[in-house]
Amino acid sequence: MSYVLGIDGGGSKTVCVLIDDSCQVLGRGETGPSNYQSIGIEGTLQSIKSAIHNAVEAAIITNTVNIDAICLGLAGVGRAADIELVKGLVKELQNNKLPINWALQPANIIICNDALIALVGGIGQPVGIVVAAGTGSIVFGRNHQGHTKRVGGWGYILGDEGSAYKIVIAGMNAALKSYDGREISTSLLEDFKQHLDLDSIEDLIEVVYRREWGVKQIAALAPIVDFAAASGDIVANLIIDDAVKELVKATSTVIDAIFTADSVLKVVTTGSVWRGRCKIHERFAASLVKKFPNVNVIFPRYEPAYGAGLLALQTTQN
């Protein structure tokens, strides 16, 4: 029997699934990060190799595992130079001693960004839109003709509107403006103080600047704003409303670019932002459906690695 591999490689973890020709997951492996722009190509190779090994081991298959296709959906891969670099990585994988028999042809190797596999995994097919809002944000769509459109994904300095990071920055900014007396009072002032164990909100300077907090550490505070909004804080709710507006605008741009206004399509939402208590998912869905009545906003059916596996499997059936 032949099998395919689906790989989801990101900045925090790498997931590999081993799938048979009936779309069944036989094994799943998970290891550390595989964003080569952060950890280098050698570190990426080792993470992917370990994830594959763990997936095959978990499958408990007695016969030789023949891999006919592979799809790697990796964070940060979009340019032609990135794809060529990852092609070299796939060659290295085939030279490593893994418990599998490689039977790959060029047409059965897919290298793409992680937005595409999130779309396919989330919907179960390669047509629709994914709205990813976690630490960062990006909206990606693909239509029946194979045309794609990406909006956002420019990083925390140049973009990422609607992301957890931008929500927290807006929340901190509002708390400090409230402290200054420049804006109306908000519970966010006390919420940040209590959560971070600060004597004064002025100590936020030491936390953010002197401790050199990174994007992920700041984004992890998004539940503070979410909880304040869910509790009825006016300022926090305005911040959430702004995030919704940005995400709706980005999604609308994708629809206008590659679909028609009356298209029947699914929009899958992925990322930590959508799991909040303040009903941001419901707000987003209501606003988007108001503009595009035939859109169905859903949560993911499957994980991105499975989406990569489905894309790999497609190449064996053409």
Side-chain angles (χ1 to χ4, degrees):
M1 181 178 287
S2 60
Y3 307 92
V4 303
L5 293 172
I7 297 171
D8 171 25
S12 59
K13 66 179 180 180
T14 304
V15 177
C16 175
V17 292
L18 176 69
I19 299 177
D20 64 15
D21 53 13
S22 65
C23 300
Q24 294 297 310
V25 176
L26 303 181
R28 184 182 187 277
E30 185 172 322
T31 55
S34 57
N35 186 332
Y36 79 87
Q37 297 182 23
S38 301
I39 66 172
I41 196 67
E42 183 58 33
T44 297
L45 173 64
Q46 293 306 315
S47 290
I48 292 175
K49 178 184 174 183
S50 295
I52 293 173
H53 183 275
N54 293 344
V56 174
E57 288 291 305
I60 316 177
I61 298 174
T62 55
N63 299 324
T64 301
V65 178
N66 297 308
I67 302 298
D68 285 346
I70 184 172
C71 174
L72 300 96
L74 307 179
V77 172
R79 301 173 302 169
D82 298 322
I83 293 174
E84 287 303 314
L85 191 63
V86 178
K87 282 182 180 178
L89 187 149
V90 174
K91 289 182 180 178
E92 287 294 322
L93 282 174
Q94 295 178 75
N95 294 331
N96 275 280
K97 294 182 179 179
L98 287 164
I100 55 182
N101 177 46
W102 296 100
L104 297 176
Q105 299 295 324
N108 303 122
I109 300 172
I110 297 179
I111 299 166
C112 60
N113 60 57
D114 53 351
L116 176 58
I117 64 171
L119 166 64
V120 178
I123 296 178
Q125 61 177 2
V127 175
I129 296 174
V130 59
V131 184
T135 299
S137 65
I138 186 172
V139 180
F140 177 85
R142 186 178 187 275
N143 64 19
H144 287 282
Q145 292 73 43
H147 300 143
T148 64
K149 174 66 176 178
R150 186 196 85 167
V151 173
W154 301 117
Y156 72 100
I157 294 177
L158 301 177
D160 281 353
E161 296 85 358
S163 69
Y165 176 82
K166 284 298 175 71
I167 287 173
V168 174
I169 292 298
M172 289 180 171
N173 187 255
L176 293 172
K177 285 182 177 180
S178 175
Y179 179 73
D180 286 343
R182 287 183 285 165
E183 298 289 352
I184 63 173
S185 62
T186 170
S187 65
L188 290 171
L189 196 157
E190 288 299 321
D191 293 340
F192 279 113
K193 279 177 58 180
Q194 290 181 15
H195 184 87
L196 298 171
D197 195 24
L198 307 177
D199 292 329
S200 168
I201 196 65
E202 292 179 4
D203 296 330
L204 198 58
I205 293 175
E206 190 272 332
V207 171
V208 174
Y209 294 118
R210 295 174 192 167
R211 295 184 195 177
E212 298 182 346
W213 272 26
V215 176
K216 289 183 179 180
Q217 289 167 297
I218 292 175
L221 300 179
I224 295 175
V225 182
D226 168 57
F227 186 79
S231 299
D233 185 83
I234 295 174
V235 174
N237 272 293
L238 288 174
I239 292 170
I240 297 301
D241 285 340
D242 284 342
V244 169
K245 288 177 184 176
E246 290 290 346
L247 293 169
V248 169
K249 185 176 182 179
T251 307
S252 300
T253 302
V254 172
I255 293 175
D256 291 339
I258 59 173
F259 295 99
T260 60
D262 59 349
S263 292
V264 177
L265 71 147
K266 292 181 179 178
V267 173
V268 60
T269 52
T270 68
S272 59
V273 167
W274 303 113
R275 297 193 291 270
R277 302 180 183 183
C278 67
K279 298 184 178 180
I280 187 170
H281 190 267
E282 290 87 338
R283 298 189 199 191
F284 170 79
S287 181
L288 188 65
V289 171
K290 188 175 181 179
K291 294 185 67 176
F292 304 100
N294 294 323
V295 165
N296 182 20
V297 181
I298 64 172
F299 283 108
R301 292 183 62 191
Y302 310 106
E303 66 177 331
Y306 186 74
L310 292 180
L311 286 171
L313 197 60
Q314 270 191 347
T315 69
T316 68
Q317 298 171 343
N318 294 334

